[in-house]
Amino acid sequence: MARQYTRSGRERLACFGLVLFVLSWLVGSGSSPGDLLATFTGSKGEQPPLLLREAQSRGNDVEVNPPNEKMDGLINEGDVKTSLKDAIALIHNKRGVPDSQEKDEWKRKKQKHWKLIILFQHNLPILQQAVDGFRRASDIMVENLIVVDNSLNKEAFNNDKLRKSVAEVVRTPRLLNFPELHNYMAELALKKNLEFYFWAHADNYVLPSSAERDLAKDIIDCMRIQIQNYPNWGMMLFAYDHLAAYRTQTIIQVPWDPFVFQYGSECDAYGRIRDAGYDARACSKLHRSYDMKRVLNITDSMGYDETLALLEQDKEFKLGRNQWREGSMSQEEKEWREEMKLASRKYLEEKWVVRGCKLRGLPCHKPWPVCPKCPQHIPDCYSKRPSTQQLLFIHDEVKRVFAEQSKDLLTYESFLAKRKKQ
């Protein structure tokens, strides 16, 4: 189980005493473990269970279900066969349900439906800080975290500590630009047959809304509501896109445009996602999000309030958000990015005519797949219920088109080759 924000010595002693009570109660009373669960979960027609009453008294930013439905069906007292390990896990789990009894598949520790992905290119300590933040904020995120290493020297992939702490570190085949990285994430998700994936910034630190909350489970609760109300969802934002969820089929059908520079690419992509008939939704105030300009001395021994105070204090540190990254770049990389930026401006003017971020509904003057219009051989390219075979075909066609255009794409390798000729 992930290390959570530590409590005071008195609270730890009380928790230890409660564990001893569980052990003695199970051994000495002759009762079944299911009887212990009844203490926490209650039953229909009775007062809401202890853990639920506590949650109700705290209140939530997003109310997910009517109170009696939150725990209903999660634990069936008559059928459950609970081990001592599960009983102890029940005490420690932030949301009150041991993982082995979690009925919501999106909240289980071993995930096959979603992954959290962080794109890495510069500053390994900043990345490690972000990973540690997710480990402390949720029971289930880091165990399902994939780091995409897009650095020149593959620092993340070659770091044993990082590789042991996350689910997977994968290497990009070459130095990809920002839109290409988004398409790379979607390709990973398609290969892993994920319903959706979270994308988090490598320079962001997250805190749950309070010490006892689980960030991932609160977000999933909000997603459940949004998906029920907007079944054609394509993306969801949490604290803008510092943390975002993308539906795999959406980004396969509406890929990011590799000819658009990093700043401006999200406006281009998000407008086309909406024009393709997908909804973009947001879940706000579910967690605290911090853009990190440096590494802070946040440790596992620090409590929630102490961590929060340190992060709030660091807001006063006078350093541009991207200065740490600029300082990590080689001169060649900086020049490559500057040339991409200039080429992107000209390209966007050709594509949309107008400049700006509100592109939804405007005429798009490029061919599919970077404009929301289906080609003749894929008339239902934006189907909201595509089969796996359809998605694989669309993905292959998108890759074919991008490969044909690659000679016009300013990659890092082509930039270096051009410089050598000059």
Side-chain angles (χ1 to χ4, degrees):
M1 189 171 187
R3 277 291 291 277
Q4 305 300 337
Y5 290 98
T6 58
R7 299 174 173 84
S8 66
R10 181 179 299 176
E11 289 172 310
R12 288 197 295 269
L13 183 60
C15 186
F16 179 69
L18 186 53
V19 172
L20 289 180
F21 164 74
V22 172
L23 292 171
S24 61
W25 191 87
L26 288 173
V27 173
S29 67
S31 300
S32 69
D35 295 330
L36 174 64
L37 291 178
T39 304
F40 292 90
T41 60
S43 59
K44 291 183 179 179
E46 298 177 357
Q47 188 179 14
L50 172 64
L51 294 176
L52 181 54
R53 293 202 305 272
E54 183 183 341
Q56 290 171 344
S57 66
R58 287 195 305 265
N60 296 326
D61 290 318
V62 177
E63 184 64 32
V64 179
N65 294 307
N68 287 334
E69 295 180 10
K70 280 193 175 182
M71 299 290 290
D72 214 19
L74 290 181
I75 299 179
N76 186 323
E77 297 173 47
D79 299 332
V80 70
K81 294 180 180 179
T82 308
S83 67
L84 177 60
K85 182 180 178 181
D86 286 339
I88 294 175
L90 176 61
I91 298 170
H92 290 286
N93 189 286
K94 288 187 176 184
R95 299 304 294 274
V97 179
D99 191 68
S100 61
Q101 301 299 333
E102 181 59 76
K103 299 297 184 183
D104 189 335
E105 292 185 348
W106 289 5
K107 294 180 185 177
R108 294 177 186 165
K109 287 190 177 180
K110 293 185 178 179
Q111 278 298 326
K112 60 180 180 180
H113 303 283
W114 61 263
K115 297 294 180 187
L116 168 66
I117 304 178
I118 294 180
L119 304 175
F120 169 72
Q121 191 161 334
H122 298 286
N123 201 315
L124 190 63
I126 286 276
L127 168 66
Q128 186 63 64
Q129 180 171 249
V131 171
D132 288 340
F134 279 108
R135 175 173 57 83
R136 297 176 183 126
S138 174
D139 288 338
I140 60 178
M141 272 194 151
V142 170
E143 295 185 12
N144 297 289
L145 169 57
I146 298 173
V147 173
V148 173
D149 189 348
N150 192 50
S151 63
L152 283 172
N153 299 319
K154 303 306 179 209
E155 297 174 70
F157 184 83
N158 293 322
N159 187 277
D160 291 338
K161 178 184 176 182
L162 178 68
R163 291 179 64 179
K164 290 176 181 177
S165 66
V166 302
E168 190 177 359
V169 180
V170 298
R171 296 170 290 184
T172 56
R174 58 176 175 82
L175 192 61
L176 303 179
N177 67 32
F178 187 67
E180 286 180 310
L181 283 169
H182 272 275
N183 293 337
Y184 187 82
M185 283 194 293
E187 183 174 21
L188 277 178
L190 182 65
K191 289 179 178 178
K192 294 179 180 294
N193 199 29
L194 304 179
E195 293 182 39
F196 63 93
Y197 54 94
F198 294 105
W199 167 54
H201 290 198
D203 61 345
N204 194 248
Y205 195 93
V206 296
L207 280 178
S209 58
S210 60
E212 67 277 7
R213 307 302 296 178
D214 185 295
L215 168 61
K217 294 173 185 177
D218 285 343
I219 283 174
I220 287 169
D221 281 342
C222 183
M223 289 183 68
R224 290 291 192 195
I225 294 178
Q226 295 283 24
I227 292 171
Q228 183 178 2
N229 294 331
Y230 301 92
N232 290 336
W233 76 283
M235 53 179 285
M236 292 192 200
L237 304 179
F238 313 94
Y240 189 55
D241 66 0
H242 294 168
L243 178 63
Y246 296 105
R247 193 174 180 180
T248 303
Q249 70 179 57
T250 303
I251 308 303
I252 293 298
Q253 293 172 314
V254 191
W256 287 55
D257 190 336
F259 287 90
V260 180
F261 182 67
Q262 177 174 350
Y263 301 112
S265 59
E266 76 279 15
C267 299
D268 177 271
Y270 297 167
R272 290 188 292 113
I273 285 172
R274 291 180 175 93
D275 281 343
Y278 283 105
D279 291 308
R281 308 305 305 169
C283 290
S284 60
K285 299 182 180 179
L286 295 183
H287 75 290
R288 299 174 184 270
S289 173
Y290 296 88
D291 288 324
M292 303 307 296
K293 307 161 190 172
R294 57 180 176 173
V295 175
L296 301 181
N297 187 29
I298 302 174
T299 66
D300 287 342
S301 63
M302 294 171 61
Y304 180 90
D305 291 338
E306 186 180 358
T307 304
L308 175 61
L310 183 61
L311 289 165
E312 289 292 327
Q313 180 183 359
D314 194 60
K315 286 182 177 180
E316 305 301 319
F317 182 62
K318 303 299 181 183
L319 183 71
R321 181 192 165 194
N322 294 318
Q323 278 185 250
W324 64 264
R325 183 173 60 190
E326 297 293 330
S328 303
M329 288 184 187
S330 65
Q331 185 60 33
E332 290 82 5
E333 222 179 321
K334 291 178 182 178
E335 293 176 7
W336 172 53
R337 286 173 61 83
E338 186 61 31
E339 193 162 330
M340 273 198 300
K341 185 190 299 184
L342 296 175
S344 175
R345 286 177 183 171
K346 180 180 179 181
Y347 176 85
L348 283 171
E349 288 177 358
E350 295 173 354
K351 182 175 182 178
W352 296 106
V353 180
V354 299
R355 291 181 63 179
C357 202
K358 296 182 179 180
L359 303 175
R360 182 182 181 183
L362 295 180
C364 187
H365 301 282
K366 294 289 181 180
W368 179 87
V370 297
C371 281
K373 45 194 174 186
C374 293
Q376 290 185 351
H377 68 296
I378 319 177
D380 56 347
C381 68
Y382 300 128
S383 168
K384 302 305 176 289
R385 292 188 176 181
S387 66
T388 301
Q389 290 73 21
Q390 286 175 309
L391 287 178
L392 289 170
F393 178 72
I394 291 171
H395 176 62
D396 288 344
E397 286 297 284
V398 168
K399 291 189 72 173
R400 179 184 62 79
V401 172
F402 284 166
E404 291 174 354
Q405 299 172 347
S406 62
K407 63 181 183 299
D408 299 320
L409 183 65
L410 183 65
T411 64
Y412 185 64
E413 290 76 12
S414 63
F415 169 76
L416 293 178
K418 186 174 69 172
R419 279 193 57 178
K420 286 183 177 180
K421 292 180 179 179
Q422 293 175 347

